[in-house]
Amino acid sequence: MTIAVGAVAGLSLTACSSSGSAGGGSGSGSGGKTPTEALAAAVHNISNGNAESFQLSLKPDDAMIAAMNKDSSDPQSAQIVKSVFGNGGVVVKFTASADKPLKDLKAGENPNVEFDVTAGGTELFDVRSVGGALYAKVNVPQFLQLSGKPASSLTAQLGQVPPDFQAPLQALMADKWVGVSAADVKGLEQTLKSLESGGDLGSSPTTSASPGTQMLAGVESELMKALTQDATVTDKGSGQYEVSGKVKTIGQDVLQALGPVLNSVPGKSKSDLDQLRTGLNSVPDSENITFDIWVKSGQISELQVDLAQFLPGDKTGGGHLPVDAKFSQSAGSVSAPGDVTNVDVQKLLSAFGGAGL
């Protein structure tokens, strides 16, 4: 079973979001609030600062990795799973920053955002949006290694690429930054909108929140939803809260929320989701799930949950699939990288017969 990076992000965030609370008395240091109220307030404070980051780590132990490979007859696939989840596991980090509190951003006011993914101790890619411009750095050799293809299979095709795009592709192959200017990004968006509206370039585009803002809003709304589900929140002191509830109730919410995430993730994540759903259906109704959430300075700071609790023992090999999500308002501002090789989108569209910007 190979859980793709995008699924990891959705699963770990939703694992927290799908666990609500049904009670508890007032906890120490919570200002007289019940554990539910204190946790709800901490979630609401996620986007209070000018910068926010959350990091999600998935680190299965050796027994769980062996269980993932149990049904695989392909030694190469088994080695890929081991290399991806070994040496620190999969780590996904999302950061957003602006010149004012993120919660105060209005439609059309976009924060700078960065999305970075590391697997097996090696960075896979880093994508940034700064001031409307896009930047990306992709570890192409590592992706080729994970796919079982030699680098020569791609470098041999570089000679067939138009000269204007040799430099950006070579930069990608060397794990260096490539970028698209803010003007080109805007022009490309306008072109796509005109195609969607039947070619009317004069039509007014609909202003909407940026993907980064939507992601932050989604995190907060999903975590707030947690406090309306059938679970129990207990204040364990020192900013630590325990959340518990029925595996099936929480697990079904988690898997349902994974659908939209998996649509944008390559690989076999859909089959992984089906396996998790099948395993979840066989879990007795009496089984419970428990995990911990930490609050620091009035804001949720960390959650930990073992996803192996969603699966029967014969599917885990007795192993663990821990997810650790960390939130921070002390993140630095997202800035443009140096030494960037730019892509000329106008020439790119022309080379492939597309519409001009």
Side-chain angles (χ1 to χ4, degrees), residues 3-354:
I3 302 179
V5 167
V8 172
L11 184 55
S12 49
L13 284 177
T14 313
C16 179
S17 72
S18 303
S19 28
S21 66
S26 60
S28 59
S30 61
K33 297 183 177 71
T34 66
T36 297
E37 293 169 340
L39 197 53
V43 171
H44 185 66
N45 289 336
I46 283 178
S47 56
N48 275 357
N50 289 27
E52 172 70 33
S53 71
F54 58 84
Q55 176 177 295
L56 307 111
S57 305
L58 183 68
K59 302 177 182 179
D61 59 16
D62 290 341
M64 190 68 200
I65 291 177
M68 290 177 173
N69 288 322
K70 182 179 179 181
D71 299 327
S72 176
S73 58
D74 182 4
Q76 184 178 30
S77 296
Q79 183 57 41
I80 289 174
V81 171
K82 187 174 181 179
S83 64
V84 167
F85 289 106
N87 192 26
V90 175
V91 181
V92 180
K93 186 174 182 180
F94 174 82
T95 305
S97 68
D99 57 3
K100 62 181 178 180
L102 297 172
K103 68 177 183 179
D104 295 335
L105 292 175
K106 298 179 175 59
E109 295 181 339
N110 300 330
N112 295 335
V113 298
E114 179 175 19
F115 186 66
D116 181 77
V117 176
T118 299
T122 302
E123 183 179 68
L124 292 183
F125 63 85
D126 189 343
V127 179
R128 301 181 192 179
S129 174
V130 181
L134 290 178
Y135 305 94
K137 183 175 65 170
V138 182
N139 192 336
V140 176
Q142 183 68 9
F143 272 109
L144 289 173
Q145 181 179 341
L146 293 177
S147 66
K149 298 179 180 179
S152 58
S153 65
L154 183 58
T155 55
Q157 302 178 32
L158 289 179
Q160 305 175 20
V161 176
D164 289 329
F165 309 110
Q166 289 283 344
L169 285 177
Q170 288 175 358
L172 281 176
M173 289 295 296
D175 196 20
K176 295 183 178 180
W177 288 98
V178 297
V180 178
S181 70
D184 275 356
V185 171
K186 184 176 181 180
L188 183 58
E189 290 175 346
Q190 291 175 340
T191 297
L192 294 175
K193 288 177 180 178
S194 71
L195 294 174
E196 293 175 356
S197 61
D200 182 8
L201 288 171
S203 61
S204 301
T206 301
T207 301
S208 59
S210 71
T213 304
Q214 291 174 344
M215 179 178 289
L216 286 172
V219 171
E220 182 172 333
S221 64
E222 287 295 325
L223 291 177
M224 291 300 288
K225 176 185 174 184
L227 306 179
T228 67
Q229 299 296 321
D230 293 331
T232 300
V233 176
T234 303
D235 187 346
K236 299 178 70 175
S238 300
Q240 183 177 355
Y241 294 83
E242 182 181 84
V243 181
S244 61
K246 300 297 183 183
V247 171
K248 280 192 174 180
T249 301
I250 294 175
Q252 286 167 357
D253 289 340
V254 169
L255 298 183
Q256 181 177 358
L258 275 179
V261 177
L262 292 176
N263 288 336
S264 62
V265 177
K268 47 179 290 190
S269 296
K270 184 180 184 301
S271 62
D272 294 337
L273 178 63
D274 291 339
Q275 290 183 38
L276 281 171
R277 184 178 288 112
T278 299
L280 180 63
N281 289 336
S282 62
V283 174
D285 292 334
S286 59
E287 292 292 325
N288 293 321
I289 182 174
T290 300
F291 59 91
D292 293 320
I293 299 177
W294 282 264
V295 173
K296 183 178 181 180
S297 299
Q299 184 210 11
I300 182 172
S301 62
E302 185 174 4
L303 73 91
Q304 294 179 349
V305 57
D306 185 0
L307 299 184
Q309 296 178 88
F310 289 165
L311 298 170
D314 60 351
K315 297 292 184 180
T316 67
H320 299 278
L321 190 59
V323 163
D324 184 13
K326 296 180 179 179
F327 299 77
S328 174
Q329 287 186 337
S330 61
S333 298
V334 178
S335 59
D339 192 20
V340 177
T341 301
N342 287 311
V343 178
D344 190 321
V345 175
Q346 179 70 54
K347 291 182 178 179
L348 179 64
L349 291 177
S350 298
F352 291 96

